[in-house]
């Protein structure tokens, strides 16, 4: 007989299962109650003669209030419980092992920071907080790992993230869970959770082309980004050293955190959020860079955050850092 | 039993023969039958697609149809069932027939508009049928951007046009009902003397009128994106695909209440007649309908918990989704309480009502699962959701529709159907339904995603159970077609009140005359006043 | 078909399902208000899109709006407001049994509506020539805002296009009203069609009152 639950292989899975179990109990209870009452009344008060009528009972306010308030209280308990589990899912820890994901019709491409690439298979270490930062090249997909109880739509044009901490080594299904065309049901794969030692072995084996950040550095030069974004503040664009993770003020007065999404948007639609004090002269690279190249550039800019901020002659664009929390995608 | 039942000499069915008298009729009762024919057609087309899907899903690999074909099957199944069956069925068939009679009027406020609504529905249906034969559409009935606007190569535009046009049928029908209920109640028929079916119909009409225009503009935008490359939902020019989802679900969530509220209205009538007593807590049931309609507009974001909306939006939509469950629960309790000390009938319509209450309870409670954020992240986009909404749409709405169809069949046709066959069919449907959809809850939690043509082999057992159930369910749906049609010719003649029920529709002949009442009644009694009325009927 | 009224004579315009003209008028008016509310929801979807994208791309929207032909929009606004005046006067003429004025004001309303459409056609033609129609041929002067400007123009054409479609339908309705008036079917006892058509016309006017500033006037602060 097939199991009723998938394996619980992440720290959040048990919490989800507990709430689910409670809800099942609630459903069974009320279903049996209502079904039981219906059957009982149907038998007990079965119409015995063709002309008999029922007792005229219009109702009672107390009863109505009771069976309004009690369900209300029960639903509020469920709401709070569900929200609490959801908060844990929605707020990744500060320190995570980040892996980039690009979904496209009909495959998943995984990019490890050090350059390892995987297609439809994702190796992760057990017991470590892993954050997946994902985007799509074409239509909306959805990254779903039932054993971890995590899921997120992967939307073109933005980064989304989900995080998990795997608790058991093994191989687990990975599905695309947002209909995306012909081979939607073929856009599946596996998450391979390994012991830390094995994971290290796996990481160092196999061909790599260098880390994402180093590939990004090369691209930065190839695309001539460095002509405007110079470390000495003489360029026409903001200095990128030490910028990632900071909060900057835009021309409109709005403040934004320089995170992966902001960097990506600035490359593809530079005029959308201009830093205060700068002109909208940056050309767009839409159509000139792939999603993977964007990841490399993002990682490169990220890698610059450890370098010290340079004294600028221009009116400063950035305010003091608003906290060092690892910036998330949307 | 000695019966001197005769067919009334003049009634709406023999008031004019010939195609023109039907296709150009202004009589709400004939228009209801026109709708009955068309929604039944779409139901069986949509149902045929479901059968093919379940056949394919009996094996883990895609071996019956290609993946593209499968994608078209589930899309067209959804489009046909949602837009051409579930949304119109009860309002346009039962509502059209009953609303004027139940309030003591001769017809709806705008009979010509009513006929136009049917034609609009048919034209919309023709566009969709064209899309079907021209190759089908594969976007899912939810046609999310950017797949539907940029990637799909199928008949998206004809389908979008079909849905756009048919939407006006819903809007105009809803408008007609609202004006009729406000302005054409018979003398003495106050709001709180109306049958609860009218309260549900009124609430449904409010949603129809307010919500449907939004899907109209949404499909128009999808069509414009495809045709003119506008870019509203295209990230390459700065558009936001998630905005499509907001627009889409702003209608499509209230749409599910358009589908279930009328069924709830039917159930109120069936329970009252089946127990020969007033519905317990009448004002609460009436207000619950309105509450569902209002709250139903505030929860659309619960379809987007993993789509990229903020944590705060998710919280608000989650809490509101729990709130919208409460009025439905109140109705279930009130219906159950009505049975207490009732004179409980075991006739077919009542069996459908009891089945509805049980299945709707399960379906509604599983709604709590998906409203709970932490669980929804896991079960959304899986078969759990598919099971949840089929419990409500099929276990709820369709059973309400069939129950109502059986209950008012004598009034509509002047004939009684074969009770044993009807009971048997109801049983077959109940069993088939549960076997089809209960395993899907388990499948969903195990992680099987929706809209999958092939799946990992460990999901097969549950899929086979579901497919077996579907074949039983299919048989169950065919049976009423047979015996109801048979009864038109060979069924026993029905008296004006075969159930011994209370309601204005039972004071007129079966079938009713074209003008419904020889004289406009003056209402001096409360709804479901069994104490003052004789209860002898033809059937126990 | 028999209508159960027996031998009682009734107004020729009274439909059989109503008891009297008063009930019929109330029903028709309520029906039109309900329909107009659906129209609010219909246009509302596009206003929502506009609000969201404008808040996302304010500079681009201002730049794109700067390209609109403001004198044409302003003229059209005046034309439509005047047409609502003539429409209201037409209703009044119907109420006061002045057939000549009724016909005159209906014609005036239709003429103004036609002027509106003519000016709109001129605008569209100009915008096509400047390659502001979204799609492959789209071109916008300021490179930096080109993408988002396309969204602005998509909204512009969609919203004004649907509005113009409603105007055309309105002209059709007015044609029918004109015909009914010339045939003497409108009297002080029964002028419901005029009143209800007037409601529709005013609504189409009000939609434009919202469209005009949102589409034409948000870029006025820019130079050049």
């Amino acid at each position: 007989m097939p199991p009723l639950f998938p394996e619980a292989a992440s720290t959040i899975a048990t919490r989800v299962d507990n709430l689910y179990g409670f809800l099942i109990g609630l459903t069974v209870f009320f279903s049996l109650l209502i079904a039981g009452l219906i059957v009982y009344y149907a038998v007990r008060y079965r119409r015995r003669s063709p002309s008999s009528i029922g007792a005229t009972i219009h109702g009672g306010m107390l009863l109505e209030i009771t069976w309004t308030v009690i369900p209300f209280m029960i639903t509020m308990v469920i709401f709070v419980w569900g929200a609490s589990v959801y908060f844990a899912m929605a707020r990744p820890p500060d320190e995570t092992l980040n892996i980039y994901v690009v979904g496209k019709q009909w495959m998943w491409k995984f990019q490890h920071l050090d350059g390892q690439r995987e297609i439809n298979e994702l190796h992760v270490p057990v017991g470590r907080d892993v954050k997946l930062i994902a985007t799509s090249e074409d239509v909306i997909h959805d990254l779903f790992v039932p054993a971890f109880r995590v899921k997120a739509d992967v939307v073109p044009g933005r980064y989304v993230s989900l995080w998990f901490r795997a608790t058991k080594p093994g191989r687990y299904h990975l599905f695309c869970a947002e209909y995306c065309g012909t081979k939607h049901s073929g856009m599946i794969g596996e998450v391979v959770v390994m012991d830390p030692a094995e994971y290290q072995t796996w990481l160092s084996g196999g061909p790599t082309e260098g880390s994402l950040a180093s590939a990004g550095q090369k691209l930065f030069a190839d695309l001539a980004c460095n002509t405007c974004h110079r470390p000495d503040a003489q360029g026409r664009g903001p200095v990128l050293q030490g910028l990632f993770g900071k909060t900057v003020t835009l021309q409109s007065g709005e403040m934004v955190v320089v995170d992966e999404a902001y960097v990506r948007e600035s490359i593809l639609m530079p005029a959308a959020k201009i830093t205060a004090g700068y002109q909208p002269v940056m050309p767009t690279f839409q159509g000139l860079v792939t999603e993977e190249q964007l990841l490399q550039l993002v990682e490169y800019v990220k890698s610059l955050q450890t370098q010290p901020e340079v004294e600028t002659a221009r009116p400063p664009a950035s305010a003091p850092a608003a906290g060092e929390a690892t910036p998330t995608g949307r | 039993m000695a019966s001197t039942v005769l067919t009334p000499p003049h009634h709406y069915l023999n008031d004019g023969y010939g195609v023109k008298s039907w296709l150009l009729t202004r009589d709400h009762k004939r228009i209801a039958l026109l709708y009955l024919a068309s929604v039944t057609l779409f139901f069986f087309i949509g149902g045929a697609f479901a059968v093919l899907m379940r056949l394919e899903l009996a094996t883990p690999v895609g071996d019956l149809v290609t993946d593209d074909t499968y994608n078209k099957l589930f899309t067209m199944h959804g489009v046909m069932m949602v837009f051409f069956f579930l949304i119109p069925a009860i309002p346009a068939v039962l509502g059209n027939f009953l609303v004027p009679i139940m309030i003591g009027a001769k017809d709806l406020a705008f009979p010509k508009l009513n006929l136009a609504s049917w034609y609009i529905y048919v034209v919309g249906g023709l566009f969709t049928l064209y899309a079907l034969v021209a190759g089908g559409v594969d976007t899912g009935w939810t046609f999310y951007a950017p797949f539907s606007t940029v990637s799909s190569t199928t008949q998206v535009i004809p389908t979008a046009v079909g849905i756009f046009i048919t939407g006006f049928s819903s809007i105009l029908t809803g408008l007609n009902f609202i004006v009729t209920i406000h302005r054409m109640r018979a003398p003495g028929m106050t709001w709180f003397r109306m049958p609860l079916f009218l309260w549900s119909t009124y609430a449904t009409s409010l949603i129809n009128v307010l919500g449907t225009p939004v899907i109209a503009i949404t499909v128009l935008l999808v069509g414009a994106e495809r045709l003119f490359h506008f870019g509203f939902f295209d990230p390459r020019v700065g558009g936001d695909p998630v905005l499509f989802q907001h627009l889409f679900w702003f209608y499509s969530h209230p749409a599910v209440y358009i589908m279930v509220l009328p069924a709830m209205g039917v159930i109120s009538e069936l329970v009252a007649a089946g127990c020969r007593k007033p519905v317990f807590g009448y004002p609460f049931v009436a207000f619950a309908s309105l509450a569902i309609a209002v709250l139903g507009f505030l929860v659309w974001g619960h379809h987007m918990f993993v789509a990229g909306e903020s944590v705060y939006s998710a919280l608000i939509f989650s809490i509101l989704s729990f709130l919208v469950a409460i009025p439905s629960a109140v109705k279930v309790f009130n219906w159950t309480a009505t049975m207490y000390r009732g004179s409980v009938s075991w006739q077919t319509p009542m069996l459908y009502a009891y089945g509805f209450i049980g299945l709707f309870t399960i379906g509604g409670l599983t709604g709590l699962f998906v409203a709970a954020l932490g669980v929804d992240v896991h079960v959304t986009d899986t078969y759990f959701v598919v099971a949840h909404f089929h419990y409500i749409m099929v276990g709820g709405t369709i059973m309400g529709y069939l129950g109502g169809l059986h209950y008012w069949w004598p009034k509509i046709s002047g004939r009684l159907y074969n009770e044993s066959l009807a009971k048997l069919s109801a049983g077959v449907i109940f069993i088939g339904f549960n076997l089809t959809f209960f395993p899907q809850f388990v499948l969903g939690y195990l992680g099987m995603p929706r809209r999958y043509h092939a799946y990992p082999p460990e999901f097969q057992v549950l899929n086979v159970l579901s497919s077996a159930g579907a074949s039983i369910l299919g048989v169950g749906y065919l049976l009423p077609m047979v015996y109801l049609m048979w009864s038109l010719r060979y069924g026993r003649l029905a008296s004006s009140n075969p159930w011994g029920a209370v309601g204005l529709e039972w004071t007129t002949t079966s079938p009713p005359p074209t003008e419904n009442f020889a004289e406009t009644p003056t209402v001096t009694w409360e709804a479901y006043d069994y104490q003052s009325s004789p209860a002898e009927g033809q059937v126990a | 078909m028999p209508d159960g009224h027996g031998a009682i004579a009734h107004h020729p315009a009274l439909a059989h399902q109503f008891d009297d003209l008063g009930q019929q008028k109330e029903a028709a008016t309520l029906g039109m208000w309900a329909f107009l509310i659906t129209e609010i929801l219909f246009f509302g979807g596009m206003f929502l899109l506009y609000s969201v994208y404008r808040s996302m791309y304010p500079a681009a929207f201002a730049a794109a709006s700067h390209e609109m032909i403001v004198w044409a929009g302003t003229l059209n606004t005046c034309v439509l407001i005047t047409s609502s005046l003539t429409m209201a006067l037409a209703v009044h003429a119907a109420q006061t049994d002045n057939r000549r004025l009724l016909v005159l004001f209906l014609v005036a309303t239709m003429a103004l509506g036609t002027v509106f459409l003519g000016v709109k056609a001129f605008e569209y033609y100009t915008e096509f020539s400047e390659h502001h129609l979204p799609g492959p041929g789209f071109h916008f002067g300021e490179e930096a805002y080109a993408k988002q400007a396309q969204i602005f123009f998509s909204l512009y054409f969609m919203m004004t296009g649907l509005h113009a479609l409603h105007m055309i339908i309105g002209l059709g309705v007015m044609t029918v009203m004109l015909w009914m008036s010339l045939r003497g079917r409108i009297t002080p006892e029964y002028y419901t069609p005029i009143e209800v058509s007037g409601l529709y016309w005013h609504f189409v006017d009000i939609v434009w009152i919202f469209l005009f500033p949102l589409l034409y006037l948000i870029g006025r602060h820019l130079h050049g």
Side-chain angles (χ1 to χ4, degrees), chain A residues 79-93:
Chain A
F79 165 68
V80 170
W81 190 346
S84 145
V85 174
Y86 181 72
F87 281 139
M89 290 168 165
R91 291 175 181 162

Side-chain angles (χ1 to χ4, degrees), chain A residues 159-215:
Chain A
Y159 287 141
V160 299
S161 66
L162 63 80
W163 81 276
F164 57 84
R165 183 194 303 192
T167 50
K168 274 192 248 180
R171 291 183 158 257
Y172 306 104
H173 285 302
L174 177 128
F175 296 123
C176 172
E178 184 60 57
Y179 173 68
C180 53
T182 307
K183 295 202 182 315
H184 167 59
S185 32
M187 195 164 158
I188 65 179
E190 283 192 323
V191 180
V192 184
V193 179
M194 313 179 98
D195 283 321
E198 275 179 50
Y199 177 72
Q200 280 307 119
T201 319
W202 175 84
L203 257 190
S204 45
T208 66
E209 298 125 23
S211 71
L212 280 179
S214 66

Side-chain angles (χ1 to χ4, degrees), chain B residues 106 108-111 175 179 182-184 209-210 213 217 221 228-230 232 236-240 243 514, chain C residues 1 3 17-18 23 26-27 30-31 35 37-38 41-42 46 49 53 57 134-135 147 150-151 154-155 158 162:
Chain B
K106 295 191 183 65
L108 290 178
F110 309 117
L175 192 153
V179 177
H182 270 284
R183 291 274 174 254
M184 294 175 70
V209 156
L210 292 174
I217 190 64
L221 288 168
F228 307 124
H229 310 290
F230 274 167
F232 298 119
R236 295 170 299 187
V237 297
D240 185 354
L243 205 49
T514 302
Chain C
M1 82 183 109
D3 62 11
Q17 70 270 20
F18 294 112
Q23 188 191 35
E26 283 181 3
L30 178 60
F35 178 69
I37 292 177
T38 73
L41 267 299
F42 184 69
M46 287 185 288
L49 278 187
Y53 284 126
Y57 308 125
K147 296 274 162 47
Q150 181 163 332
I151 296 185
S154 302
L155 282 167
M158 200 77 192
L162 278 172

Side-chain angles (χ1 to χ4, degrees), chain B residues 227-426:
Chain B
L227 268 182
F228 307 124
H229 310 290
F230 274 167
F232 298 119
F233 310 120
D234 187 351
R236 295 170 299 187
V237 297
D240 185 354
V242 179
L243 205 49
F244 168 85
Q245 294 178 37
H246 281 290
L247 274 176
F248 178 82
W249 287 113
F250 187 82
Y251 164 73
S252 299
H253 186 82
V256 314
Y257 297 111
I258 296 177
M259 298 186 238
V260 85
L261 270 173
M264 290 172 154
V266 171
I267 298 308
S268 291
E269 298 305 311
L270 297 183
V271 168
C275 300
R276 294 223 179 115
K277 59 195 286 274
V279 173
F280 192 92
Y282 172 110
F284 290 91
V285 178
F287 284 125
S289 294
L290 293 179
I292 292 172
V294 170
L295 287 170
F297 273 102
L298 303 178
V299 298
W300 77 90
H302 68 217
H303 299 270
M304 300 165 61
F305 285 152
V306 298
E309 63 184 15
S310 73
V311 170
Y312 307 105
S313 304
L315 283 174
I316 295 174
F317 284 119
S318 172
I319 199 171
L320 285 167
S321 303
F322 283 108
L323 288 183
V324 77
I326 310 286
S328 294
V330 165
K331 284 197 180 196
V332 167
F333 296 138
N334 276 296
W335 289 322
T336 310
T338 307
M339 293 177 72
Y340 172 72
R341 292 181 61 197
S343 163
V344 180
S345 155
W346 284 45
Q347 295 300 306
T348 303
M350 291 62 191
L351 294 182
Y352 276 111
Y354 311 146
F356 173 102
I357 300 174
L359 295 178
F360 176 76
T361 300
I362 298 178
L365 285 169
T366 56
L368 299 182
F369 287 67
V370 286
L373 287 164
V375 171
D376 187 71
V377 170
H378 178 62
V379 301
T380 193
D381 286 323
T382 68
Y383 262 85
F384 190 93
V385 178
V386 175
H388 161 70
F389 65 69
H390 280 96
Y391 258 78
I392 316 230
M393 298 295 116
V394 182
T397 300
I398 298 190
M399 293 197 59
Y401 176 66
L402 288 175
L405 210 54
H406 283 75
Y407 178 59
W408 283 294
W409 187 258
K411 182 59 53 182
I412 293 173
S413 66
R415 303 278 180 161
L416 299 173
Y417 51 79
N418 182 304
E419 177 62 22
S420 318
L421 263 183
K423 279 205 174 78
L424 172 70
S425 310

Side-chain angles (χ1 to χ4, degrees), chain B residues 477-502:
Chain B
Y477 285 139
L478 285 171
L479 287 173
M481 276 287 287
V482 172
Y483 64 72
L484 287 177
M485 300 282 290
W486 186 91
S487 78
L488 288 179
R489 186 83 197 277
Y490 303 108
R492 269 168 63 201
L493 294 176
S495 67
S496 47
N497 191 358
W499 309 106
V502 167

